[in-house]
Amino acid sequence: MWPLAVASAVLSFASTAFSAQGNLTKPLTSRLILPAEFSPPQNFKNVNLVHIINLEKSYPKESINVLIENVASEPQDEYYLPFTSRQMETIGALEVKDRKDPDGGFFDVEAVEYDPNSDTQFYRIRLPAPLAPKAQQTLGITYSYLSALSPLPAAVAQKDKQYLVYTFSAYAPSAYITTKQKTEVKFPSANIPEYTIVQASKGESESPQKQGSKFTYGSFAEVPAGAVEPVTVRYEFTKPLIHISRLERDIEVSHWGGNVAFEERYTMHNRAANLTKQFSRVEWAQQAHYNPSTTAIKELKFPLKVGSLTPYFTDVIGNVSTSRFRSNKREANLEIKPRYPIFGGWNYPFRVGWDADLKKFLRKLKNGDGYVLNVPFLEGPKQPEGMAYEHIELRVILPEGAENVQYSTTVPLVSADISLHRTFMDTTGRTSLTLTAINIVDDLRDRELIVTYDYPLLAGLRKPLVIFTSFVSLFFAAWAIGSLDVSIRGRK
C-alpha cells in the first residue's frame, strides 16, 4: 500500500457572498500550520462513497460524492482529505459543496501543513455548520490534475493513434474508514488495451466491470483509512494535450471612450506524443481531405461575449491571417489557425485581443461615485479536448484616479496586488488590479470577476483638463517663441 499524501497547490475557496474586504477568495499561500505529530482525528466515517474519474479531456477530472457521518460524541465541523506528493504539485480547482444543496455555495477549504518533510499533507474542509453526533451530510468534492497524463509510446508517427497512461487508486483518498465505495472511470472511447485487474476478495467480484467506455472498480466493502489499491489504465486519446504554461490577460477600462479592451498573451505547449520522424507537410495535406483524428492543434475557437468587435491576433512572426470572425446579436465567435499544426512537444506563443462596449460590463451605483465591473475571469479558446492553465496573470486596468478597489471571484487565487499602470497622457498613472491563479482548467471558464471601485467626478475630468492645459501651454509657448525677435541687426 502506498502512503497517502497531500497535494500542495494551496487553494482557498469562496463563499457566495462578499466578505468583509469584498473578496470571495483567500490567497492560496495561507496555510493552517499544525504540530508535526498531527493526525486527523477519527471523528467521521464514510458511510457510502462514489469516486468518479473522468478521462474524456486532456486532463483527469475527479469527483468524490460521499455520505459522511459524525461518529464522535460532540459536534464536528472539520473533515480532512489526503492526496499524494505528486498531486500536491498538480492539483487544481478543488471545490467542495453540499450535494443536496448545490446552490448553497462552496465550503471553506484550507491546506494543512504539519511537517514540511513529510509525504503526507491534508486539506481541511470546514463544514458550514457543525455536524451533530450520528448526523450525516453528503459532500460533493471535485478537483482536476494538470500534467498527469503520459503518452505511451512517447513518440508516434504522424498518422498513428495516441495512447495515454493514467495511474490512480481504486480506493478513493480518505483519512477515514469507508463502509462502502466504488470507483467509476469514464474513458473517451472503448479502446482500452491495458488496465489493472483488481482481484476479488470475500463477497466481492473481480474488477473492473466494463460497460462500453466506462469501467467500475468495486463496490468494495469496508476499507481502512489511508488504504490504496494502485490501478494503471492505458487508453486511446488521439487528440492534443493543450497546456498553457502562462496566460497574461489584460482588461483595460476606458470611461471616456466607453470601451473595454481585452488582450490575452498565451504560451502554449502540446503535451501529446512527439513525432518519430520529421513533420511532413505533404502527408499533412493528404490527411486534410479525410479529416482524421490527430494529436496536432489545428485551430483554436474563441467564443467571445456578444457584442465583441475588432479582434486581432498575432504570433511572434506577425499577423495570423488564417482566421474567421462571426459577430451578430446571438454570438461572437473567433476562429484562428496557427501558422503550422502544433504537434506533441511543440510550442506556440501568440496573442489575441478585442474590444467591447463598456455598457455591457459596467454599471454605476445609484448613490455616490461607485462603479461595478463584471467580466469573465477566463475566456480563451474552447476546445473539445479541454485546456489546462498552469499560471494565469489577470490585470484589470481601471481609469486614472479610481480608488477603493475591491474584487470578488470564485476562482482560487494565489495573490492579489494593486499598483499603478502608466500609459500615454497619464499623470499619476492608472489603478491596476493584478490577480494570479495557478493550476486552472477550462471548466472554470466564464466564471465572473466582479470589481468595485470609486471614480470621483474630479478624477474623471483630470484627463481632459490635462489635455486642455497641455494644448493651451503648447499654444502659448509657440506664441511666445514666435514673438521673440531673433533677427540680427548691424550697429548704426
Side-chain angles (χ1 to χ4, degrees):
M1 300 250 174
W2 295 346
L4 281 182
V6 169
S8 81
V10 187
L11 308 176
S12 299
F13 297 91
S15 60
T16 54
F18 280 87
S19 68
Q21 294 78 24
N23 302 333
L24 287 181
T25 54
K26 300 177 183 178
L28 295 178
T29 51
S30 64
R31 295 191 182 191
L32 177 66
I33 309 298
L34 296 176
E37 62 275 8
F38 168 78
S39 178
Q42 297 299 299
N43 295 326
F44 294 94
K45 75 172 180 179
N46 303 320
V47 178
N48 191 16
L49 184 151
V50 179
H51 183 202
I52 301 174
I53 301 175
N54 193 321
L55 300 176
E56 295 174 319
K57 288 192 173 183
S58 58
Y59 55 84
K61 179 180 179 179
E62 302 193 11
S63 60
I64 298 175
N65 301 322
V66 55
L67 176 64
I68 64 173
E69 179 181 330
N70 181 5
V71 295
S73 57
E74 296 180 356
Q76 302 293 328
D77 65 350
E78 294 183 354
Y79 183 89
Y80 291 88
L81 185 67
F83 293 93
T84 68
S85 57
R86 170 58 180 164
Q87 292 165 348
M88 176 189 295
E89 302 171 358
T90 60
I91 194 172
L94 191 152
E95 297 175 335
V96 183
K97 302 181 75 172
D98 188 337
R99 286 276 297 173
K100 295 184 178 179
D101 185 17
D103 298 325
F106 299 121
F107 294 0
D108 183 39
V109 180
E110 191 173 19
V112 173
E113 181 176 310
Y114 66 98
D115 185 357
N117 299 320
S118 173
D119 195 39
T120 303
Q121 300 291 328
F122 297 90
Y123 277 113
R124 185 187 68 176
I125 300 170
R126 178 82 71 175
L127 304 181
L131 196 63
K134 297 184 179 181
Q136 297 181 343
Q137 185 168 5
T138 304
L139 304 183
I141 306 169
T142 60
Y143 50 90
S144 300
Y145 295 120
L146 275 70
S147 306
L149 303 176
S150 303
L152 186 66
V156 297
Q158 193 167 314
K159 293 182 179 181
D160 286 353
K161 294 180 180 180
Q162 173 183 253
Y163 291 87
L164 300 181
V165 171
Y166 184 54
T167 299
F168 57 93
S169 173
Y171 302 150
S174 178
Y176 308 98
I177 294 174
T178 304
T179 305
K180 181 182 179 182
Q181 70 168 293
K182 66 178 179 179
T183 295
E184 298 177 355
V185 188
K186 298 180 180 179
F187 296 96
S189 72
N191 188 1
I192 307 137
E194 299 177 33
Y195 53 90
T196 300
I197 297 176
V198 177
Q199 298 299 325
S201 57
K202 294 181 180 180
E204 299 175 359
S205 58
E206 185 179 84
S207 295
Q209 292 86 44
K210 294 176 282 186
Q211 186 177 3
S213 60
K214 176 183 173 182
F215 280 11
T216 301
Y217 285 89
S219 100
F220 302 110
E222 185 170 299
V223 176
V228 174
E229 181 65 48
V231 170
T232 298
V233 293
R234 180 173 175 264
Y235 59 97
E236 180 187 348
F237 190 87
T238 308
K239 297 177 182 178
L241 304 180
I242 305 178
H243 182 87
I244 307 298
S245 58
R246 184 174 183 85
L247 167 62
E248 296 174 313
R249 174 171 161 86
D250 289 350
I251 303 173
E252 187 170 350
V253 177
S254 173
H255 280 233
W256 279 98
N259 183 72
V260 55
F262 297 86
E263 181 175 281
E264 299 180 337
R265 299 176 292 277
Y266 291 84
T267 303
M268 177 181 289
H269 177 71
N270 188 354
R271 297 188 62 256
N274 295 349
L275 294 179
T276 53
K277 297 180 181 178
Q278 188 174 1
F279 168 66
S280 170
R281 176 70 69 174
V282 174
E283 188 176 321
W284 177 257
Q286 292 174 344
Q287 283 183 279
H289 293 287
Y290 304 100
N291 194 28
S293 298
T294 177
T295 59
I297 304 172
K298 299 187 293 184
E299 62 180 359
L300 299 169
K301 298 181 179 181
F302 294 76
L304 307 178
K305 292 295 182 181
V306 174
S308 300
L309 43 89
T310 62
Y312 61 90
F313 24 89
T314 61
D315 56 23
V316 292
I317 299 177
N319 183 57
V320 181
S321 57
T322 308
S323 63
R324 182 185 180 190
F325 180 60
R326 303 192 310 272
S327 179
N328 52 48
K329 295 181 180 180
R330 295 174 298 176
E331 62 178 2
N333 292 321
L334 172 64
E335 301 175 7
I336 64 174
K337 290 187 178 181
R339 238 170 253 284
Y340 50 85
I342 306 166
F343 280 92
W346 295 11
N347 300 319
Y348 188 69
F350 68 97
R351 70 174 61 198
V352 176
W354 64 92
D355 295 322
D357 186 354
L358 185 60
K359 293 180 182 179
K360 296 181 179 294
F361 301 92
L362 185 73
R363 66 180 179 90
K364 188 180 185 305
L365 299 180
K366 294 181 179 180
N367 300 321
D369 300 318
Y371 288 85
V372 178
L373 178 71
N374 189 335
V375 292
F377 186 94
L378 178 66
E379 289 182 270
K382 190 172 184 179
Q383 305 292 109
E385 61 272 12
M387 299 178 62
Y389 298 82
E390 183 177 347
H391 185 100
I392 298 177
E393 183 177 288
L394 170 62
R395 188 170 56 164
V396 181
I397 304 172
L398 300 172
E400 187 175 25
E403 56 189 20
N404 192 25
V405 179
Q406 298 180 349
Y407 70 93
S408 163
T409 181
T410 55
V411 176
L413 302 176
V414 221
S415 64
D417 179 62
I418 296 178
S419 59
L420 292 178
H421 173 75
R422 290 179 172 82
T423 185
F424 182 67
M425 295 299 291
D426 285 343
T427 52
T428 59
R430 302 186 185 185
T431 305
S432 176
L433 170 66
T434 303
L435 305 176
T436 305
I438 59 173
N439 292 352
I440 301 298
V441 295
D442 59 354
D443 277 355
L444 304 188
R445 194 181 186 278
D446 293 331
R447 285 205 179 179
E448 293 180 341
L449 168 64
I450 300 175
V451 181
T452 62
Y453 60 94
D454 293 334
Y455 189 50
L457 177 61
L458 184 59
L461 296 175
R462 177 182 301 174
K463 178 156 286 189
L465 289 174
V466 169
I467 295 175
F468 175 76
T469 304
S470 300
F471 274 105
V472 171
S473 301
L474 182 62
F475 172 78
F476 277 106
W479 174 80
I481 294 173
S483 300
L484 294 176
D485 185 3
V486 293
S487 60
I488 301 174
R489 298 178 182 143
R491 293 183 179 180
K492 294 184 178 179

